[in-house]
Amino acid sequence: FTFLLGGGPTEMICAFFGAGMGNFVRKKLLEKHITLFANVSLGVAVACLVYICFIKAAEALFGVSDIHQAGYICAMLFVIPGFPLITGGIDLAKLDLRSGIERILYALLIIFVATITGWLCALVFHFSPADFPRFDFNPCIMALFRLVTSFFAVYGFSLMFNSTVPMAVTAGLIGMIANVMRLELIDFTGIPAALAAFLAALLSGLCASAIKKYIGYPRLTITVPSIVIMVPGLYMYKGIYYFATENVTTGALWLAKAVMIVCSLCLGLIAARIITDRNFRICS
């Protein structure tokens, strides 16, 4: 997931430990029935602090550049609630307004608490969400890396949603094709990120519908995990960060991008259901 956001080996290693510890702490707090705000904020705080400790150690011991500090964002994005965001949008499309609004508000609460906590950690340690160093890979090699990392990113998120291993593998295979298509379209055609997200979600939904009768899994258990990695948690965090630092124009730009991409992902899945599912297409 860190690689797909633009991070390199340094960010990937540090985010591995940061996100791992953060998610472990959050899981333990959930087992003790600790309230939402507390488990999210503590989980994110631990993730950021562990990342910061590892990157500072790498700077001191191995002379790693401080440009890698921006990867602390990757360590906290495990908490971004892509599942309720996407399913909430689908519920609204079915006019299940109560369920849709509840899910979206739940997701927004988590996003707000997580991003504010991340901003406070960045404020204390003087970190900022800078751009990652760009890779200089051959396009074919980059596409291969994206295929592999997309598969494991979707597979991991599926397991976090309590999917079985076969379900997670199926979602991973669909997600890696859809996500790499999205990234390649952005890189080589220059189309807007929101349109690329719509096309990727549409492809994911069509693929899930095509194989549904062969695998026997509900469509949502395949399609939603396959596009969760496309939810722009990085944009959401940057938007709140810049708002908190009173840079309202830049913050609004990042949040607008995030909203457009999330809406496009929902619309892509909805379009696929309208095309392939008569019960979804015909209203009573």
Side-chain angles (χ1 to χ4, degrees), residues 160-203:
M160 289 175 66
F161 298 145
N162 297 320
S163 297
T164 63
V165 170
M167 289 166 61
V169 170
T170 305
L173 292 172
I174 292 174
M176 76 176 188
I177 296 170
N179 191 48
V180 172
M181 183 198 75
R182 176 182 70 93
L183 295 173
E184 297 296 309
L185 282 174
I186 293 171
D187 286 350
F188 293 105
T189 68
I191 68 173
L195 177 56
F198 172 84
L199 294 174
L202 176 64
L203 176 63

Side-chain angles (χ1 to χ4, degrees), residues 51-107:
Y51 183 95
I52 290 166
C53 289
F54 271 84
I55 202 69
K56 289 294 186 183
E59 290 175 13
L61 297 175
F62 306 110
V64 171
S65 170
D66 61 3
I67 196 172
H68 300 292
Q69 293 179 356
Y72 76 94
I73 305 171
C74 302
M76 59 175 279
L77 293 183
F78 67 91
V79 80
I80 296 298
F83 200 98
L85 270 179
I86 301 300
T87 53
I90 295 173
D91 286 339
L92 292 180
K94 296 186 296 184
L95 296 183
D96 188 355
L97 301 182
R98 178 176 177 180
S99 178
I101 292 171
E102 286 177 352
R103 284 177 169 171
I104 290 174
L105 285 178
Y106 170 78

Side-chain angles (χ1 to χ4, degrees), residues 61-278:
L61 297 175
F62 306 110
V64 171
S65 170
D66 61 3
I67 196 172
H68 300 292
Q69 293 179 356
Y72 76 94
I73 305 171
C74 302
M76 59 175 279
L77 293 183
F78 67 91
V79 80
I80 296 298
F83 200 98
L85 270 179
I86 301 300
T87 53
I90 295 173
D91 286 339
L92 292 180
K94 296 186 296 184
L95 296 183
D96 188 355
L97 301 182
R98 178 176 177 180
S99 178
I101 292 171
E102 286 177 352
R103 284 177 169 171
I104 290 174
L105 285 178
Y106 170 78
L108 292 177
L109 281 174
I110 294 178
I111 291 169
F112 179 76
V113 174
T115 51
I116 288 295
T117 303
W119 168 69
L120 290 173
C121 292
L123 186 66
V124 170
F125 292 96
H126 305 289
F127 280 16
S128 62
D131 293 332
F132 295 112
R134 290 189 62 82
F135 294 115
D136 189 21
F137 287 149
N138 177 284
C140 294
I141 299 298
M142 176 62 83
L144 179 62
F145 284 156
R146 283 173 169 173
L147 279 170
V148 174
T149 52
S150 293
F151 172 81
F152 283 106
V154 174
Y155 178 83
F157 271 115
S158 296
L159 294 181
M160 289 175 66
F161 298 145
N162 297 320
S163 297
T164 63
V165 170
M167 289 166 61
V169 170
T170 305
L173 292 172
I174 292 174
M176 76 176 188
I177 296 170
N179 191 48
V180 172
M181 183 198 75
R182 176 182 70 93
L183 295 173
E184 297 296 309
L185 282 174
I186 293 171
D187 286 350
F188 293 105
T189 68
I191 68 173
L195 177 56
F198 172 84
L199 294 174
L202 176 64
L203 176 63
S204 177
L206 293 176
C207 288
S209 296
I211 65 173
K212 178 179 179 291
K213 62 181 179 181
Y214 301 108
I215 59 176
Y217 304 138
R219 257 180 295 237
L220 278 180
T221 63
I222 304 300
T223 53
V224 175
S226 70
I227 67 168
V228 161
I229 63 168
M230 305 177 199
V231 173
L234 181 64
Y235 290 9
M236 297 173 187
Y237 173 75
K238 284 186 174 182
I240 298 298
Y241 175 90
Y242 287 115
F243 269 126
T245 55
E246 299 182 359
N247 190 343
V248 177
T249 302
T250 305
L253 175 63
W254 284 109
L255 286 180
K257 289 181 178 181
V259 169
M260 286 296 296
I261 292 173
V262 171
C263 290
S264 297
L265 291 172
C266 294
L267 290 173
L269 285 188
I270 292 165
R273 287 291 296 274
I274 291 173
I275 294 170
T276 60
D277 186 350
R278 185 180 185 280

Side-chain angles (χ1 to χ4, degrees), residues 19-69:
M21 286 301 300
N23 199 37
F24 175 79
V25 168
R26 187 178 181 221
K27 183 175 183 296
K28 291 300 179 183
L29 293 173
L30 286 170
E31 290 175 356
K32 295 182 181 297
H33 305 288
I34 301 300
T35 186
L36 177 72
F37 277 37
N39 73 62
V40 170
S41 57
L42 288 174
V44 169
V46 169
C48 291
L49 291 174
V50 171
Y51 183 95
I52 290 166
C53 289
F54 271 84
I55 202 69
K56 289 294 186 183
E59 290 175 13
L61 297 175
F62 306 110
V64 171
S65 170
D66 61 3
I67 196 172
H68 300 292
Q69 293 179 356

